[in-house]
Amino acid sequence: MKLKLCLLSVAAAAGLLLAPAGYAKSFKWASQGEIATWDIHSQNNALQNGIHANVYESLVYYNSKTFEVEPVLATSWREITPTQIRFNLRQGVRFHDGSAFTADDAVYSLQRAMAKTSNFTPYVQGISKVSKVDNQTIDVLLSAPNPVLLRQMTELRMMSKAWAEKNRSVEPKDIKGTDENFAHRNAMGTGPYLLDTWQPDVKMVFKRNPNWWGKMDGNVTEIVYTPIKSAATRIAALLSGEVDLVLDPSPQDLGRLRSSPDLKVIDGVENRTIFLGMDQFRDELPGSNIKGKNPLKDVRVRKALYQAIDVDTISRSIMRGLGKPTGTIVAPQVAGYTEDVGKRFPYSVDAAKKLLAEAGYPDGFEVDFACPNNRYINDEAICQAVTAMWSRIGVKAKLRTLPLVNYFPMIQRYEASVYMLGWGVPTFDALYSLQSLVRTVGQGGDGNYNVGRYSNQRMDYLVDRVKGETDALVRSRMLTEALQLSNDTVSHIPLHDQVIPWAMKKNIEVVHRADNYIDMRTVKVN
């Protein structure tokens, strides 16, 4: 996809109108999870990225209604050459401390996303260098033409270089460690809201930025976010009026929420797939009764675990329709997906037992199994069901569950034998998933969430070819081949694509997004 010159006025870029001051409101919302950090390049997950977007802006961002890329801190861009893209920056933008946003900040922020401690390296895939042309212009230099560059850049937010240097935050916090920088607990961006207070696991408060460059459709001047792990408590808070919106109502509560005269529920298919990963690297699994070898290295064992899971029962009884069973690691709206690649291996306890016996484990084995308990819809309940299903084939999974702020650093330290992960695709292109999940762990974004350390030579070839392939048909075929290879080798065990309902008071207007972000610029409290 050739990058074209794009010029919009400030008003059109935002696509938003300023609401009368008299209608300004406080908006209170809740979900089950807490964010791990305010460092914008330290940890990459959708809840956190969406919250960060209140305070920190990117050069480009998705329009919440069309999901087309539109200007934000960049007003236009054009190809100088297929590997040199020039961005013109918006003039008159100021950070929350009053300092001007310039090319120095843009260059620094993109380079910071490329740092070793950054979890945002998939978004800078293909970027070899960023250089300043003048105070309002930068060049992004590519190692090869990149048809999804703009979509990657929607998640690359801008930080003040001077602020980071002053506050020992030049490099991103290493989320796998315990050391903190100033940016971990403090925030200072150019966005429509300022972080007022953050009490981890209690609440987060934002105030409207009176000096924001843009104009918004919504009327929210204060945002209060409350992480509430208990589904029952979240719904009680909504019913009592304590919160205006719940991002993740439990499936079993949806019936009464939909029938309430004071509430409404809006649904949408998320671009996120839930799956299980497996350690395919260690020669012996910690805590397993199998010594001297790793059963998960055998594709027959992985396929047995796959075929022992009754996803239809999980979809019906646990997800109650909020999970669409799938056979691959990306959702249908992602480039590279086909109906054939989405087909599952059939559920069969007998087939699973036969595969285990062929692999040399007729009596099964013990294995560590780790899951989050406040990240995905009914994540802990799903893992409990899978544990029971595996017991039917003799596999004794020792389940342990953790809150997301502890869970993700743990799996990134390779400390889980089997683990649950949900993977959204912000670029709507399968390269983002393939590079992160199944490319052999390497430099940049290669394998940054391949925490089972799967490795396949053909997969690496396909992923690396796709990175620079500009022929749309060839590229699409390679993406689909790589997804099918992932299926055939059981790199992961796909479960389902999430369907996301948002429950809210009747007086709330909001645009439902496929990435499960709440765009606060669009929220109205009537």
Side-chain angles (χ1 to χ4, degrees):
M1 179 180 68
K2 186 177 179 67
L3 295 175
K4 296 181 179 179
L5 178 66
C6 182
L7 293 166
L8 274 76
S9 68
V10 169
L16 305 165
L17 299 173
L18 184 64
Y23 291 94
K25 300 286 184 178
S26 176
F27 175 68
K28 302 177 177 67
W29 68 288
S31 77
Q32 62 182 322
E34 175 62 287
I35 72 170
T37 179
W38 263 98
D39 190 317
I40 56 172
H41 299 122
S42 178
Q43 178 62 286
N44 175 26
N45 72 59
L47 175 69
Q48 185 163 283
N49 295 348
I51 289 176
H52 284 176
N54 296 325
V55 175
Y56 288 99
E57 295 176 297
S58 46
L59 298 183
V60 298
Y61 202 51
Y62 286 125
N63 179 292
S64 289
K65 294 180 180 178
T66 67
F67 261 85
E68 294 298 321
V69 174
E70 63 183 15
V72 180
L73 294 184
T75 55
S76 64
W77 49 88
R78 64 188 175 98
E79 287 186 359
I80 305 300
T81 72
T83 57
Q84 181 182 0
I85 315 302
R86 179 157 293 173
F87 289 83
N88 296 311
L89 306 182
R90 189 176 300 281
Q91 299 187 34
V93 174
R94 295 195 172 274
F95 286 100
H96 295 160
D97 65 356
S99 61
F101 166 69
T102 70
D104 291 327
D105 303 303
V107 170
Y108 163 71
S109 298
L110 293 175
Q111 290 175 336
R112 191 177 191 269
M114 300 166 72
K116 288 183 178 179
T117 51
S118 168
N119 255 298
F120 280 71
T121 47
Y123 299 108
V124 292
Q125 185 281 126
I127 298 177
S128 59
K129 184 180 178 181
V130 186
S131 61
K132 174 182 176 180
V133 178
D134 57 42
N135 275 344
Q136 297 299 323
T137 315
I138 67 167
D139 279 350
V140 175
L141 304 174
L142 307 174
S143 55
N146 182 356
V148 293
L149 174 67
L150 291 181
R151 291 182 176 270
Q152 291 174 196
M153 294 185 75
T154 60
E155 293 290 351
L156 296 174
R157 296 177 180 84
M158 299 291 108
M159 180 180 283
S160 163
K161 180 182 179 184
W163 181 82
E165 290 174 341
K166 176 183 176 181
N167 293 298
R168 61 179 184 87
S169 297
V170 173
E171 296 287 317
K173 169 183 162 52
D174 185 350
I175 201 66
K176 297 187 291 295
T178 57
D179 291 344
E180 293 187 7
N181 58 15
F182 187 76
H184 172 61
R185 295 185 183 274
N186 300 273
M188 206 278 291
T190 62
Y193 294 93
L194 300 87
L195 177 64
D196 185 50
T197 59
W198 179 33
Q199 299 169 268
D201 296 315
V202 179
K203 73 176 178 178
M204 199 181 301
V205 179
F206 303 84
K207 301 293 185 183
R208 179 82 171 267
N209 174 12
N211 301 312
W212 184 49
W213 60 269
K215 296 180 180 180
M216 65 173 65
D217 197 22
N219 62 0
V220 173
T221 55
E222 179 190 62
I223 306 165
V224 180
Y225 173 70
T226 306
I228 305 174
K229 181 179 177 182
S230 164
T233 306
R234 285 197 304 280
I235 298 307
L238 179 63
L239 292 170
S240 69
E242 185 181 342
V243 301
D244 300 306
L245 180 147
V246 169
L247 192 72
D248 46 6
S250 62
Q252 56 267 32
D253 287 317
L254 288 176
R256 65 174 174 142
L257 295 177
R258 293 186 200 278
S259 64
S260 170
D262 302 318
L263 303 175
K264 62 182 176 181
V265 177
I266 57 176
D267 302 277
V269 178
E270 193 180 14
N271 62 349
R272 178 178 307 281
T273 303
I274 308 298
F275 51 81
L276 304 177
M278 296 155 285
D279 183 336
Q280 298 164 58
F281 180 79
R282 284 185 175 86
D283 292 326
E284 181 178 304
L285 296 176
S288 176
N289 63 329
I290 304 298
K291 304 302 178 185
K293 58 181 177 178
N294 175 357
L296 300 176
K297 285 188 174 186
D298 192 319
V299 67
R300 294 170 297 185
V301 172
R302 300 197 298 273
K303 190 174 180 182
L305 295 177
Y306 183 138
Q307 291 196 259
I309 298 174
D310 183 353
V311 292
D312 289 332
T313 293
I314 290 174
S315 177
R316 183 178 62 255
S317 301
I318 297 176
M319 298 301 291
R320 302 195 185 196
L322 298 183
K324 295 187 174 181
T326 184
T328 193
I329 57 174
V330 299
Q333 60 266 57
V334 174
Y337 178 94
T338 65
E339 285 190 14
D340 284 342
V341 90
K343 290 179 180 176
R344 289 186 61 82
F345 292 126
Y347 164 62
S348 173
V349 171
D350 289 340
K353 287 180 176 178
K354 183 179 179 182
L355 285 165
L356 280 184
E358 290 174 356
Y361 307 99
D363 300 320
F365 55 90
E366 295 176 3
V367 67
D368 163 65
F369 184 21
C371 284
N373 57 24
N374 65 341
R375 178 63 189 100
Y376 312 116
I377 298 175
N378 283 354
D379 42 17
E380 186 171 13
I382 293 168
C383 291
Q384 290 169 343
V386 169
T387 299
M389 291 170 184
W390 282 344
S391 70
R392 298 171 191 164
I393 62 170
V395 173
K396 304 172 187 65
K398 294 179 282 187
L399 179 62
R400 55 193 174 101
T401 64
L402 297 87
L404 68 90
V405 293
N406 306 116
Y407 179 77
F408 289 112
M410 181 275 294
I411 63 172
Q412 285 196 286
R413 294 192 298 265
Y414 308 118
E415 293 176 1
S417 297
V418 183
Y419 56 91
M420 173 183 272
L421 190 59
W423 199 252
V425 190
T427 62
F428 292 86
D429 185 272
L431 174 61
Y432 175 78
S433 299
L434 293 165
Q435 183 188 11
S436 299
L437 300 173
V438 293
R439 174 61 168 81
T440 300
V441 177
Q443 298 298 313
D446 288 344
N448 74 313
Y449 257 92
N450 181 0
V451 294
R453 289 178 281 185
Y454 166 91
S455 184
N456 181 287
Q457 188 174 1
R458 177 65 180 173
M459 182 68 76
D460 293 347
Y461 168 78
L462 290 168
V463 171
D464 292 345
R465 274 286 310 275
V466 168
K467 289 177 183 177
E469 182 55 62
T470 55
D471 185 306
L473 289 176
V474 173
R475 190 175 187 278
S476 179
R477 284 198 298 267
M478 288 194 295
L479 288 173
T480 302
E481 181 187 341
L483 290 171
Q484 189 61 54
L485 179 60
S486 168
N487 298 351
D488 294 342
T489 57
V490 197
S491 69
H492 298 76
I493 300 174
L495 297 176
H496 54 256
D497 301 318
Q498 282 196 158
V499 177
I500 297 295
W502 295 354
M504 66 202 75
K505 294 177 183 176
K506 278 277 176 67
N507 66 327
I508 301 297
E509 291 183 36
V510 63
V511 178
H512 195 292
R513 289 172 53 119
D515 55 12
N516 209 26
Y517 291 10
I518 299 177
D519 184 350
M520 292 296 172
R521 301 171 304 172
T522 71
V523 177
K524 290 182 180 178
V525 181
N526 296 316

mmCIF file of all heavy atoms in Angstrom, residues 210-242:
data_model
loop_
_atom_site.group_PDB
_atom_site.id
_atom_site.type_symbol
_atom_site.label_atom_id
_atom_site.label_comp_id
_atom_site.label_asym_id
_atom_site.label_seq_id
_atom_site.Cartn_x
_atom_site.Cartn_y
_atom_site.Cartn_z
ATOM 1 N N PRO A 210 -6.804 21.997 29.495
ATOM 2 C CA PRO A 210 -7.416 23.221 28.960
ATOM 3 C C PRO A 210 -6.651 23.792 27.775
ATOM 4 O O PRO A 210 -7.190 24.626 27.032
ATOM 5 C CB PRO A 210 -7.378 24.184 30.160
ATOM 6 C CG PRO A 210 -6.231 23.702 30.992
ATOM 7 C CD PRO A 210 -6.207 22.204 30.835
ATOM 8 N N ASN A 211 -5.412 23.345 27.581
ATOM 9 C CA ASN A 211 -4.581 23.895 26.505
ATOM 10 C C ASN A 211 -4.386 22.903 25.357
ATOM 11 O O ASN A 211 -3.489 23.082 24.535
ATOM 12 C CB ASN A 211 -3.211 24.301 27.081
ATOM 13 C CG ASN A 211 -3.342 25.331 28.175
ATOM 14 O OD1 ASN A 211 -4.046 26.330 28.026
ATOM 15 N ND2 ASN A 211 -2.683 25.094 29.300
ATOM 16 N N TRP A 212 -5.244 21.876 25.315
ATOM 17 C CA TRP A 212 -5.101 20.884 24.238
ATOM 18 C C TRP A 212 -5.328 21.540 22.885
ATOM 19 O O TRP A 212 -6.231 22.364 22.718
ATOM 20 C CB TRP A 212 -6.102 19.747 24.459
ATOM 21 C CG TRP A 212 -5.977 18.620 23.478
ATOM 22 C CD1 TRP A 212 -4.835 17.973 23.108
ATOM 23 C CD2 TRP A 212 -7.045 18.018 22.736
ATOM 24 N NE1 TRP A 212 -5.114 16.990 22.185
ATOM 25 C CE2 TRP A 212 -6.470 16.992 21.940
ATOM 26 C CE3 TRP A 212 -8.422 18.229 22.663
ATOM 27 C CZ2 TRP A 212 -7.226 16.186 21.090
ATOM 28 C CZ3 TRP A 212 -9.184 17.425 21.826
ATOM 29 C CH2 TRP A 212 -8.583 16.417 21.047
ATOM 30 N N TRP A 213 -4.555 21.144 21.905
ATOM 31 C CA TRP A 213 -4.616 21.731 20.559
ATOM 32 C C TRP A 213 -5.901 21.379 19.800
ATOM 33 O O TRP A 213 -6.313 22.103 18.897
ATOM 34 C CB TRP A 213 -3.418 21.265 19.725
ATOM 35 C CG TRP A 213 -3.365 19.763 19.572
ATOM 36 C CD1 TRP A 213 -2.709 18.879 20.382
ATOM 37 C CD2 TRP A 213 -4.022 18.987 18.571
ATOM 38 N NE1 TRP A 213 -2.915 17.587 19.945
ATOM 39 C CE2 TRP A 213 -3.701 17.622 18.838
ATOM 40 C CE3 TRP A 213 -4.834 19.281 17.473
ATOM 41 C CZ2 TRP A 213 -4.195 16.573 18.044
ATOM 42 C CZ3 TRP A 213 -5.315 18.248 16.678
ATOM 43 C CH2 TRP A 213 -4.980 16.907 16.970
ATOM 44 N N GLY A 214 -6.515 20.245 20.160
ATOM 45 C CA GLY A 214 -7.636 19.739 19.368
ATOM 46 C C GLY A 214 -8.993 20.166 19.902
ATOM 47 O O GLY A 214 -9.112 20.914 20.874
ATOM 48 N N LYS A 215 -10.028 19.688 19.241
ATOM 49 C CA LYS A 215 -11.400 19.908 19.667
ATOM 50 C C LYS A 215 -12.089 18.561 19.725
ATOM 51 O O LYS A 215 -11.785 17.673 18.937
ATOM 52 C CB LYS A 215 -12.118 20.845 18.692
ATOM 53 C CG LYS A 215 -11.523 22.240 18.657
ATOM 54 C CD LYS A 215 -12.252 23.143 17.676
ATOM 55 C CE LYS A 215 -11.639 24.530 17.649
ATOM 56 N NZ LYS A 215 -12.331 25.437 16.700
ATOM 57 N N MET A 216 -12.992 18.399 20.659
ATOM 58 C CA MET A 216 -13.584 17.074 20.834
ATOM 59 C C MET A 216 -15.104 17.093 20.772
ATOM 60 O O MET A 216 -15.751 18.100 21.038
ATOM 61 C CB MET A 216 -13.099 16.419 22.122
ATOM 62 C CG MET A 216 -13.506 17.074 23.409
ATOM 63 S SD MET A 216 -13.015 16.054 24.836
ATOM 64 C CE MET A 216 -11.222 16.101 24.707
ATOM 65 N N ASP A 217 -15.617 15.936 20.422
ATOM 66 C CA ASP A 217 -17.049 15.744 20.302
ATOM 67 C C ASP A 217 -17.690 15.567 21.670
ATOM 68 O O ASP A 217 -18.844 15.923 21.877
ATOM 69 C CB ASP A 217 -17.294 14.499 19.436
ATOM 70 C CG ASP A 217 -18.703 14.421 18.903
ATOM 71 O OD1 ASP A 217 -19.353 15.474 18.831
ATOM 72 O OD2 ASP A 217 -19.132 13.313 18.565
ATOM 73 N N GLY A 218 -16.928 14.985 22.593
ATOM 74 C CA GLY A 218 -17.461 14.660 23.911
ATOM 75 C C GLY A 218 -17.470 15.835 24.863
ATOM 76 O O GLY A 218 -17.004 16.928 24.552
ATOM 77 N N ASN A 219 -18.012 15.600 26.066
ATOM 78 C CA ASN A 219 -18.122 16.670 27.055
ATOM 79 C C ASN A 219 -17.498 16.297 28.393
ATOM 80 O O ASN A 219 -17.793 16.906 29.417
ATOM 81 C CB ASN A 219 -19.590 17.053 27.250
ATOM 82 C CG ASN A 219 -20.428 15.891 27.783
ATOM 83 O OD1 ASN A 219 -19.926 14.788 28.003
ATOM 84 N ND2 ASN A 219 -21.721 16.134 28.000
ATOM 85 N N VAL A 220 -16.628 15.302 28.394
ATOM 86 C CA VAL A 220 -16.059 14.807 29.646
ATOM 87 C C VAL A 220 -14.870 15.669 30.062
ATOM 88 O O VAL A 220 -13.908 15.829 29.311
ATOM 89 C CB VAL A 220 -15.613 13.336 29.501
ATOM 90 C CG1 VAL A 220 -14.871 12.866 30.746
ATOM 91 C CG2 VAL A 220 -16.824 12.454 29.232
ATOM 92 N N THR A 221 -14.943 16.232 31.265
ATOM 93 C CA THR A 221 -13.839 17.034 31.785
ATOM 94 C C THR A 221 -13.055 16.308 32.873
ATOM 95 O O THR A 221 -11.948 16.712 33.206
ATOM 96 C CB THR A 221 -14.352 18.365 32.361
ATOM 97 O OG1 THR A 221 -15.355 18.091 33.332
ATOM 98 C CG2 THR A 221 -14.926 19.235 31.251
ATOM 99 N N GLU A 222 -13.645 15.257 33.421
ATOM 100 C CA GLU A 222 -12.938 14.446 34.427
ATOM 101 C C GLU A 222 -13.230 12.974 34.141
ATOM 102 O O GLU A 222 -14.357 12.590 33.874
ATOM 103 C CB GLU A 222 -13.397 14.789 35.841
ATOM 104 C CG GLU A 222 -12.707 13.955 36.917
ATOM 105 C CD GLU A 222 -13.324 14.129 38.297
ATOM 106 O OE1 GLU A 222 -14.515 13.795 38.465
ATOM 107 O OE2 GLU A 222 -12.604 14.596 39.198
ATOM 108 N N ILE A 223 -12.189 12.168 34.167
ATOM 109 C CA ILE A 223 -12.316 10.724 34.003
ATOM 110 C C ILE A 223 -11.847 10.064 35.293
ATOM 111 O O ILE A 223 -10.781 10.402 35.816
ATOM 112 C CB ILE A 223 -11.449 10.197 32.842
ATOM 113 C CG1 ILE A 223 -11.755 10.936 31.545
ATOM 114 C CG2 ILE A 223 -11.627 8.700 32.664
ATOM 115 C CD1 ILE A 223 -10.690 10.720 30.473
ATOM 116 N N VAL A 224 -12.636 9.121 35.772
ATOM 117 C CA VAL A 224 -12.231 8.328 36.943
ATOM 118 C C VAL A 224 -12.279 6.858 36.534
ATOM 119 O O VAL A 224 -13.346 6.347 36.180
ATOM 120 C CB VAL A 224 -13.145 8.577 38.158
ATOM 121 C CG1 VAL A 224 -12.676 7.731 39.349
ATOM 122 C CG2 VAL A 224 -13.168 10.058 38.529
ATOM 123 N N TYR A 225 -11.133 6.221 36.560
ATOM 124 C CA TYR A 225 -11.069 4.790 36.250
ATOM 125 C C TYR A 225 -10.823 4.007 37.529
ATOM 126 O O TYR A 225 -9.911 4.316 38.292
ATOM 127 C CB TYR A 225 -9.958 4.479 35.246
ATOM 128 C CG TYR A 225 -9.778 2.981 35.053
ATOM 129 C CD1 TYR A 225 -10.760 2.244 34.402
ATOM 130 C CD2 TYR A 225 -8.677 2.308 35.573
ATOM 131 C CE1 TYR A 225 -10.637 0.871 34.252
ATOM 132 C CE2 TYR A 225 -8.542 0.937 35.431
ATOM 133 C CZ TYR A 225 -9.518 0.214 34.768
ATOM 134 O OH TYR A 225 -9.405 -1.146 34.633
ATOM 135 N N THR A 226 -11.646 2.972 37.754
ATOM 136 C CA THR A 226 -11.517 2.127 38.943
ATOM 137 C C THR A 226 -11.336 0.677 38.526
ATOM 138 O O THR A 226 -12.229 0.110 37.884
ATOM 139 C CB THR A 226 -12.762 2.248 39.841
ATOM 140 O OG1 THR A 226 -13.003 3.619 40.147
ATOM 141 C CG2 THR A 226 -12.571 1.469 41.136
ATOM 142 N N PRO A 227 -10.209 0.062 38.859
ATOM 143 C CA PRO A 227 -10.070 -1.370 38.599
ATOM 144 C C PRO A 227 -10.830 -2.164 39.656
ATOM 145 O O PRO A 227 -10.606 -1.983 40.860
ATOM 146 C CB PRO A 227 -8.548 -1.600 38.708
ATOM 147 C CG PRO A 227 -8.055 -0.520 39.611
ATOM 148 C CD PRO A 227 -8.980 0.647 39.446
ATOM 149 N N ILE A 228 -11.758 -3.016 39.218
ATOM 150 C CA ILE A 228 -12.561 -3.823 40.145
ATOM 151 C C ILE A 228 -12.490 -5.264 39.678
ATOM 152 O O ILE A 228 -13.123 -5.637 38.685
ATOM 153 C CB ILE A 228 -14.030 -3.344 40.190
ATOM 154 C CG1 ILE A 228 -14.107 -1.849 40.525
ATOM 155 C CG2 ILE A 228 -14.818 -4.156 41.216
ATOM 156 C CD1 ILE A 228 -15.522 -1.273 40.450
ATOM 157 N N LYS A 229 -11.740 -6.087 40.378
ATOM 158 C CA LYS A 229 -11.500 -7.460 39.922
ATOM 159 C C LYS A 229 -12.771 -8.305 39.936
ATOM 160 O O LYS A 229 -13.021 -9.087 39.016
ATOM 161 C CB LYS A 229 -10.426 -8.116 40.792
ATOM 162 C CG LYS A 229 -10.090 -9.537 40.363
ATOM 163 C CD LYS A 229 -9.015 -10.147 41.237
ATOM 164 C CE LYS A 229 -8.750 -11.593 40.844
ATOM 165 N NZ LYS A 229 -7.730 -12.227 41.709
ATOM 166 N N SER A 230 -13.590 -8.158 40.951
ATOM 167 C CA SER A 230 -14.793 -8.976 41.088
ATOM 168 C C SER A 230 -15.865 -8.543 40.097
ATOM 169 O O SER A 230 -16.278 -7.377 40.070
ATOM 170 C CB SER A 230 -15.344 -8.864 42.509
ATOM 171 O OG SER A 230 -16.669 -9.337 42.580
ATOM 172 N N ALA A 231 -16.343 -9.493 39.282
ATOM 173 C CA ALA A 231 -17.397 -9.187 38.314
ATOM 174 C C ALA A 231 -18.669 -8.733 39.015
ATOM 175 O O ALA A 231 -19.343 -7.790 38.580
ATOM 176 C CB ALA A 231 -17.678 -10.413 37.447
ATOM 177 N N ALA A 232 -19.015 -9.389 40.112
ATOM 178 C CA ALA A 232 -20.233 -9.029 40.848
ATOM 179 C C ALA A 232 -20.142 -7.606 41.392
ATOM 180 O O ALA A 232 -21.119 -6.846 41.343
ATOM 181 C CB ALA A 232 -20.471 -10.022 41.984
ATOM 182 N N THR A 233 -18.972 -7.236 41.876
ATOM 183 C CA THR A 233 -18.787 -5.895 42.430
ATOM 184 C C THR A 233 -18.834 -4.841 41.330
ATOM 185 O O THR A 233 -19.381 -3.747 41.524
ATOM 186 C CB THR A 233 -17.466 -5.812 43.200
ATOM 187 O OG1 THR A 233 -17.416 -6.856 44.183
ATOM 188 C CG2 THR A 233 -17.315 -4.477 43.899
ATOM 189 N N ARG A 234 -18.265 -5.167 40.157
ATOM 190 C CA ARG A 234 -18.322 -4.227 39.032
ATOM 191 C C ARG A 234 -19.777 -3.953 38.636
ATOM 192 O O ARG A 234 -20.181 -2.806 38.428
ATOM 193 C CB ARG A 234 -17.572 -4.775 37.814
ATOM 194 C CG ARG A 234 -16.079 -4.730 37.913
ATOM 195 C CD ARG A 234 -15.400 -4.885 36.558
ATOM 196 N NE ARG A 234 -15.748 -6.088 35.817
ATOM 197 C CZ ARG A 234 -15.241 -7.293 36.028
ATOM 198 N NH1 ARG A 234 -14.358 -7.469 37.002
ATOM 199 N NH2 ARG A 234 -15.597 -8.334 35.288
ATOM 200 N N ILE A 235 -20.560 -5.016 38.522
ATOM 201 C CA ILE A 235 -21.957 -4.852 38.115
ATOM 202 C C ILE A 235 -22.757 -4.130 39.184
ATOM 203 O O ILE A 235 -23.616 -3.286 38.883
ATOM 204 C CB ILE A 235 -22.581 -6.223 37.791
ATOM 205 C CG1 ILE A 235 -21.845 -6.865 36.614
ATOM 206 C CG2 ILE A 235 -24.058 -6.081 37.482
ATOM 207 C CD1 ILE A 235 -21.731 -5.992 35.383
ATOM 208 N N ALA A 236 -22.472 -4.417 40.452
ATOM 209 C CA ALA A 236 -23.151 -3.707 41.539
ATOM 210 C C ALA A 236 -22.848 -2.210 41.473
ATOM 211 O O ALA A 236 -23.738 -1.372 41.705
ATOM 212 C CB ALA A 236 -22.723 -4.279 42.888
ATOM 213 N N ALA A 237 -21.605 -1.876 41.134
ATOM 214 C CA ALA A 237 -21.225 -0.466 41.016
ATOM 215 C C ALA A 237 -21.976 0.211 39.869
ATOM 216 O O ALA A 237 -22.395 1.371 39.974
ATOM 217 C CB ALA A 237 -19.716 -0.348 40.803
ATOM 218 N N LEU A 238 -22.189 -0.511 38.780
ATOM 219 C CA LEU A 238 -22.947 0.038 37.652
ATOM 220 C C LEU A 238 -24.415 0.199 38.016
ATOM 221 O O LEU A 238 -25.027 1.241 37.755
ATOM 222 C CB LEU A 238 -22.790 -0.870 36.430
ATOM 223 C CG LEU A 238 -23.530 -0.450 35.166
ATOM 224 C CD1 LEU A 238 -23.012 0.888 34.647
ATOM 225 C CD2 LEU A 238 -23.414 -1.521 34.085
ATOM 226 N N LEU A 239 -24.993 -0.815 38.628
ATOM 227 C CA LEU A 239 -26.412 -0.771 38.988
ATOM 228 C C LEU A 239 -26.713 0.316 40.015
ATOM 229 O O LEU A 239 -27.790 0.916 40.004
ATOM 230 C CB LEU A 239 -26.859 -2.140 39.516
ATOM 231 C CG LEU A 239 -26.885 -3.274 38.486
ATOM 232 C CD1 LEU A 239 -27.093 -4.616 39.180
ATOM 233 C CD2 LEU A 239 -27.981 -3.023 37.440
ATOM 234 N N SER A 240 -25.764 0.579 40.901
ATOM 235 C CA SER A 240 -25.973 1.584 41.941
ATOM 236 C C SER A 240 -25.690 2.998 41.449
ATOM 237 O O SER A 240 -25.981 3.976 42.146
ATOM 238 C CB SER A 240 -25.075 1.290 43.146
ATOM 239 O OG SER A 240 -23.706 1.513 42.821
ATOM 240 N N GLY A 241 -25.088 3.103 40.254
ATOM 241 C CA GLY A 241 -24.751 4.417 39.726
ATOM 242 C C GLY A 241 -23.375 4.896 40.115
ATOM 243 O O GLY A 241 -22.990 6.023 39.787
ATOM 244 N N GLU A 242 -22.608 4.058 40.804
ATOM 245 C CA GLU A 242 -21.257 4.443 41.227
ATOM 246 C C GLU A 242 -20.333 4.610 40.028
ATOM 247 O O GLU A 242 -19.431 5.442 40.034
ATOM 248 C CB GLU A 242 -20.701 3.390 42.189
ATOM 249 C CG GLU A 242 -19.352 3.731 42.795
ATOM 250 C CD GLU A 242 -18.856 2.639 43.727
ATOM 251 O OE1 GLU A 242 -19.672 1.802 44.170
ATOM 252 O OE2 GLU A 242 -17.646 2.621 44.011
#
